[in-house]
């Protein structure tokens, strides 16, 4: 089956996507999902294999909020330690400046509407490795290695493809990617892992958990109002609760949300009324202009990879 690439802007996912089983709304939308898969099968293109540069794709099947940007950054750190010249590649979307800015903090980032053109530019500048943040469903490039990221809280949701479920493509395609990353807090994903092992062969599993890096700068004696417009808001909230923050309210916005002044004023008003401080994610903070940032702090979050030596070995096998 050919893959389906979706770019859904400012999406606030429906709750039924994450039910354990499809419900009536999913069933009603299921025929549309099948039609989109069939249409994708007809869109055949010849994929390009680049010989002068190694390519690593960190993507997802579940739409958004799976930690792929954080994993891409960790790969860059591993390559930097070995003095391997690497860069990031990210497709240009007008509403995703936050993730672009975050990647640029860690290295050269090529941003273009065409990933192929970005890769050509990386070759021209003699980069040895290109790390793709997203792009698993790219139809024009053969990657040297791919990692599929799942959020431990949601995993594959109800198991169906958009719009009947949260998947960009059928879970059956996971076998050809081989390398699976589970990112999150301390959720148990062993049953899902067993199911994958039973259905598909030769999968490599990696895990990580979110770590709050600037906890020492957060006053745990204060109350907090938090907000985010990311792919998985609840994972962010769970991490803060795990670190003993007293949350009086959390505001959830759609992924890559473009904040308006009235949105921030509402949050500020609620925080003032409850004598609380305001926290958001670094991605959301980067999306705010200088005026809207006043009175708002952000969390610095990292993914701590379990068995990092195993992961590092897998990356360096490419070179």
């Amino acid at each position: 089956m050919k893959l389906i690439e979706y770019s859904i802007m400012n999406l606030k996912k429906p709750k039924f996507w994450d039910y354990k089983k499809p419900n009536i709304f999913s069933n009603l939308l299921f025929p549309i999902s099948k039609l989109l898969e069939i249409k994708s099968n007809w869109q055949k293109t010849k994929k390009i294999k680049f010989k002068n540069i190694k390519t690593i794709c960190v993507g997802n099947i579940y739409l958004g909020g799976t930690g792929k940007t954080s994993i891409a950054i960790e790969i860059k750190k591993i390559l930097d330690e070995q003095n391997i010249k690497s860069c990031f590649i990210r497709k240009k979307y007008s509403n995703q400046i936050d993730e672009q800015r975050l990647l640029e903090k860690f290295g050269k980032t090529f941003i273009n509407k065409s990933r192929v053109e970005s890769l050509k530019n990386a070759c021209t500048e003699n980069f040895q490795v290109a790390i793709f943040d997203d792009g698993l469903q790219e139809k024009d490039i053969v990657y040297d290695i791919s990692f599929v990221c799942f959020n431990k809280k949601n995993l594959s949701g109800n198991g169906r493809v958009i719009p009947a479920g949260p998947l960009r493509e059928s879970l059956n395609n996971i076998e050809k990617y081989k390398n699976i990353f589970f990112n999150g807090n301390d959720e148990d994903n062993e049953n899902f892992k067993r199911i994958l092992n039973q259905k598909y062969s030769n999968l490599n599993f990696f895990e990580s958990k979110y770590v709050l890096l600037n906890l020492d700068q957060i006053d745990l004696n204060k109350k907090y109002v938090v907000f985010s417009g990311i792919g998985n808001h609840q994972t962010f909230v769970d991490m803060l609760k795990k670190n003993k923050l007293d949350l009086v309210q959390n505001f959830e916005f759609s992924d890559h949300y473009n904040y308006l002044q009235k949105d921030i004023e509402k949050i500020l008003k609620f925080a003032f009324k409850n004598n609380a401080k305001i926290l958001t994610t670094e991605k959301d903070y980067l999306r705010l202009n200088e005026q809207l940032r006043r009175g708002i702090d952000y969390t610095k979050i990292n993914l701590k990879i379990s068995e990092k030596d195993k992961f590092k070995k897998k990356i360096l096998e490419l070179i």
Side-chain angles (χ1 to χ4, degrees), residues 83-96:
N83 294 316
I84 297 168
K85 189 178 180 182
S86 62
C87 63
F88 297 111
I89 289 179
R90 186 170 178 86
K91 191 168 184 176
K92 185 176 182 179
Y93 294 112
S94 60
N95 72 329
Q96 296 184 14

Side-chain angles (χ1 to χ4, degrees), residues 12 15 153 223-230 232-241 245-253 259 263 266-267 270-271 274 276-281:
K12 190 170 182 179
K15 291 183 178 180
K153 191 173 189 69
K223 295 178 181 179
Y224 287 90
V225 171
V226 300
F227 71 95
S228 80
I230 56 177
N232 204 315
H233 172 76
Q234 193 57 48
T235 294
F236 172 56
V237 172
D238 290 347
M239 184 207 63
L240 296 177
K241 289 181 178 178
L245 272 74
D246 183 5
L247 308 184
V248 294
Q249 181 63 283
N250 69 86
F251 293 90
E252 180 181 4
F253 296 86
Y259 293 100
D263 300 318
K266 178 182 176 181
I267 295 168
F270 189 94
N274 289 273
K277 302 186 74 173
I278 303 172
L279 272 178
T280 190
T281 70

Side-chain angles (χ1 to χ4, degrees), residues 57-60 66-68 70-72 74-75 78 146-152 155 174 178-184 189 192 196 204-209 303-308 310-312 314-315:
C57 179
V58 185
N60 56 14
T66 58
K68 59 185 183 296
S70 296
I71 294 299
E74 289 304 305
I75 292 173
I78 289 171
S146 297
F147 293 90
V148 183
C149 293
F150 287 94
N151 186 293
K152 291 180 183 178
L155 298 173
I174 202 169
K178 300 298 182 187
N179 301 296
I180 317 300
F181 239 109
F182 294 108
N183 304 316
N189 57 287
F192 184 64
L196 294 181
N204 302 310
F205 294 111
F206 302 90
E207 296 202 26
S208 73
K209 65 179 180 179
L303 276 174
K304 184 177 181 181
I305 299 172
S306 304
E307 298 183 280
K308 191 168 182 178
K310 173 187 169 186
F311 177 59
K312 184 176 180 179
K314 175 62 68 174
I315 296 300

